[in-house]
Amino acid sequence: QVTLRESGPALVKPTQTLTLTCSFSGFSLRTTGMCVSWIRQPPGKALEWLARIDWDDDKFYNTSLKTRLTISKDTSKNQVVLTMTNMDPVDTATYFCARTSRIAGAGGRNYYYMDVWGKGTTVAVSS
Amino acid sequence: DIQMTQSPSTLSASVGDRVTISCRASQSISDWLAWYQQKPGKAPKLLIYKASSLESGVPSRFSGSGSGTEFTLTISCLQPDDFATYYCQQYNSYIFTFGPGTKVDMK
């Protein structure tokens, strides 16, 4: 059974750095094709993908946020960490992590989709 | 980045109705599209991947179709548990993007 759980502070102050941890079980980031993504959702708004880290340590970031985001993994602990710098009240949201699995496409290219999600952790940014 | 749009933004329906939600990509994404269902206070749940492939355990009343830039999620016979918000998401690009969501509420 695949499970993911997000953890981190419930409240951060503006300009601070947010550090979130995704702890997972039921799969391994040592396995070829396995990845973990982070997604967020401000209250009452749509989902926004933030970042992805792959089994081979490839990393991908949201274009608008990439200067503020860093994603990393600790394979031995089955954890993925996301840091976001210079937090602002508009970053108030529920943050989710999701297993991201590979599916083969034509011409040898691979594609990745988010198939199992954690419950999310709510982060408020306020002074 | 690839932009995703959905219509309608809200859909009022009754139990037993056939419901159709549309999703459009700003450029061709082949069939690299997923659909998610989200209920208030819960995480999104994968329903459909690769535009028309039903995720394991998802009821067969859900179906997806389309390719290129135009996609559809259909619920053949709406059940009480289906009142929720639905999101499409493309993964043709390494930069994933979601649609703005369609809320299905009770008429």
Side-chain angles (χ1 to χ4, degrees):
Chain A
Q1 181 191 5
V2 173
T3 64
L4 303 98
R5 188 183 78 248
E6 305 85 352
S7 60
L11 178 67
V12 297
K13 296 185 188 311
T15 76
Q16 286 186 337
T17 294
L18 172 68
T19 300
L20 296 172
T21 300
C22 176
S23 302
F24 57 87
S25 63
F27 70 99
S28 172
L29 280 177
R30 289 193 177 96
T31 302
T32 299
M34 281 297 160
C35 322
V36 169
S37 296
W38 283 95
I39 308 96
R40 71 177 179 180
Q41 185 173 39
K45 296 191 177 181
L47 299 162
E48 180 181 35
W49 174 80
L50 299 175
R52 186 185 104 204
I53 189 164
D54 295 356
W55 79 99
D56 59 0
D57 213 37
D58 269 349
K59 299 163 188 173
F60 304 90
Y61 295 101
N62 178 300
T63 304
S64 303
L65 295 168
K66 62 181 179 181
T67 60
R68 299 174 54 206
L69 295 172
T70 303
I71 192 169
S72 62
K73 62 181 172 68
D74 185 330
T75 306
S76 64
K77 292 184 179 178
N78 281 350
Q79 290 181 334
V80 169
V81 173
L82 181 76
T83 63
M84 180 180 291
T85 60
N86 195 24
M87 293 292 284
D88 183 272
V90 300
D91 298 312
T92 294
T94 298
Y95 288 76
F96 299 97
C97 61
R99 186 180 76 166
T100 307
S101 298
R102 185 174 70 175
I103 184 170
R109 184 182 163 185
N110 294 308
Y111 297 83
Y112 300 84
Y113 67 106
M114 298 173 286
D115 57 354
V116 184
W117 294 54
K119 295 179 188 286
T121 187
T122 300
V123 178
V125 184
S126 175
S127 54
Chain B
D1 295 353
I2 299 172
Q3 306 302 313
M4 306 299 292
T5 57
Q6 289 181 235
S7 62
S9 55
T10 305
L11 190 161
S12 296
S14 301
V15 172
D17 284 354
R18 181 180 179 89
V19 166
T20 299
I21 299 168
S22 296
C23 174
R24 176 177 290 178
S26 61
Q27 64 189 73
S28 177
I29 58 170
S30 184
D31 57 359
W32 301 112
L33 184 98
W35 288 97
Y36 299 90
Q37 176 195 66
Q38 188 180 34
K39 297 180 181 178
K42 301 294 187 183
K45 173 188 172 184
L46 177 67
L47 299 175
I48 303 280
Y49 63 97
K50 210 170 182 291
S52 60
S53 296
L54 195 67
E55 175 70 349
S56 176
V58 174
S60 59
R61 63 181 179 273
F62 291 94
S63 64
S65 63
S67 67
T69 61
E70 303 283 343
F71 301 87
T72 300
L73 174 70
T74 300
I75 309 172
S76 61
C77 182
L78 194 69
Q79 297 301 300
D81 191 47
D82 301 338
F83 292 102
T85 300
Y86 294 85
Y87 293 94
C88 62
Q89 177 250 324
Q90 68 79 21
Y91 54 100
N92 180 71
S93 162
Y94 292 117
I95 308 300
F96 298 164
T97 46
F98 289 90
T102 295
K103 183 178 181 180
V104 177
D105 63 17
M106 203 173 298
K107 186 183 290 183

